Amino acid sequence: MLDNVRIILANTSHTGNIGSAARAMKTMGLSDLYLVDPVQAPDGKASALAAGAGDVLANAKIVSTLDEAVADCGLVVGTSARSRTHSWPMLEPRECGEKLIQEVNKYPVALVFGRENNGLTNEELQQCHFHVCIPANPEYSSLNLAAAVQTLCYETRMAYLATEAHEEVEADYPLNDDLERFYVHLESTLKSTGFIVENHPGVVMTKLRRLFNRARPESQELNILRGILSSIDKTVKKG
């Protein structure tokens, strides 16, 4: 089960943090590491700090965008502070681990960690179904990247060890790539009807993304929504 839990590091600046994160993963039984556009590829410093987790580091996949890293994932959770302009469904670390393990048998699930200095961008956070915040000391809440990885990997492992207490989720959810295609279709249709003005898009799509991520439609429900959009597209063309 833990082999299907993906740890994604976005635009990491220091290679040592990549190695330390790999070590944090392996101590909790995780091995699937993705690096999104790292400032520098893992080097000797990364290997030194990975210690006995050199295999996790050696098998890390480097991709250019977060889209590539989460395309085949059915559940994506991004690490975030709570103070964001547009609030998103939030999880506590323990809830996060439980949710990942509840769904990990159906498809890859992902935990996304941002840059050392400023975390994930709002655009990257919008690609996540949920956000998770580690409730650190408010007077000194700055966590090292590897420490954050260790904390959430620990909660995931604890949830895994308690799997007998959880029922498997029966719902079939779409992969992230399917959701992105839906959002592209939705925006295109709303523009064709005049609901979204091309030169003044505002925050409509941001709010709609938040709505659908909160509702989390199942695969069959997403197909119905795509069908509705296609029906609207045909009517607009006839008009």
Side-chain angles (χ1 to χ4, degrees):
M1 292 173 70
L2 294 179
D3 288 342
N4 230 19
V5 179
R6 183 173 302 169
I7 300 299
I8 302 172
L9 308 183
N11 199 212
T12 311
S13 298
H14 306 292
T15 57
N17 285 333
I18 297 174
S20 295
R23 181 176 183 176
M25 289 171 60
K26 187 164 184 176
T27 60
M28 294 298 131
L30 280 67
S31 59
D32 192 16
L33 176 61
Y34 273 64
L35 306 176
V36 177
D37 188 29
V39 173
Q40 184 179 340
D43 55 10
K45 187 172 183 179
S47 298
L49 290 175
D55 54 337
V56 174
L57 191 62
N59 291 322
K61 301 172 183 66
I62 299 178
V63 296
S64 300
T65 66
L66 183 58
D67 283 332
E68 295 175 72
V70 300
D72 63 336
C73 295
L75 174 64
V76 182
V77 181
T79 54
S80 168
R82 289 188 181 277
S83 55
R84 292 281 170 174
T85 304
H86 302 291
S87 60
W88 216 257
M90 294 292 302
L91 297 172
E92 297 295 335
R94 190 144 301 172
E95 293 177 305
C96 175
E98 291 170 353
K99 195 154 199 65
L100 291 169
I101 294 302
Q102 284 172 9
E103 301 188 27
V104 73
N105 279 331
K106 302 179 75 67
Y107 31 60
V109 297
L111 270 170
V112 187
F113 297 83
R115 299 152 189 80
E116 292 95 333
N117 56 345
N118 55 5
L120 295 167
T121 66
N122 284 327
E123 290 74 19
E124 289 166 339
L125 285 168
Q126 286 181 24
Q127 293 180 256
C128 304
H129 299 102
F130 297 92
H131 297 169
V132 59
C133 178
I134 298 172
N137 176 8
E139 296 179 5
Y140 187 68
S141 59
S142 178
L143 272 175
N144 173 270
L145 175 60
V149 172
Q150 184 79 77
T151 299
L152 293 178
C153 286
Y154 167 80
E155 293 294 352
T156 303
R157 182 170 182 79
M158 291 302 99
Y160 162 69
L161 294 176
T163 48
E164 292 183 359
H166 299 284
E167 294 183 4
E168 185 177 342
V169 175
E170 295 183 2
D172 180 22
Y173 291 108
L175 300 181
N176 217 65
D177 203 31
D178 299 322
L179 280 172
E180 287 303 315
R181 283 194 290 269
F182 165 69
Y183 290 133
V184 170
H185 192 174
L186 177 60
E187 184 172 7
S188 173
T189 300
L190 293 180
K191 285 179 178 176
S192 71
T193 63
F195 187 82
I196 292 180
V197 180
E198 186 79 37
N199 296 328
H200 302 283
V203 295
V204 172
M205 284 307 301
T206 297
K207 288 184 177 293
L208 287 173
R209 276 176 172 266
R210 183 175 63 178
L211 185 155
F212 283 110
N213 273 285
R214 185 169 62 244
R216 207 161 172 229
E218 299 171 7
S219 294
Q220 191 173 27
E221 293 169 336
L222 192 70
N223 289 337
I224 292 172
L225 290 171
R226 290 293 299 271
I228 292 171
L229 294 177
S230 295
S231 178
I232 294 172
D233 292 340
K234 290 178 183 177
T235 302
V236 170
K237 287 180 181 178
K238 287 181 181 178

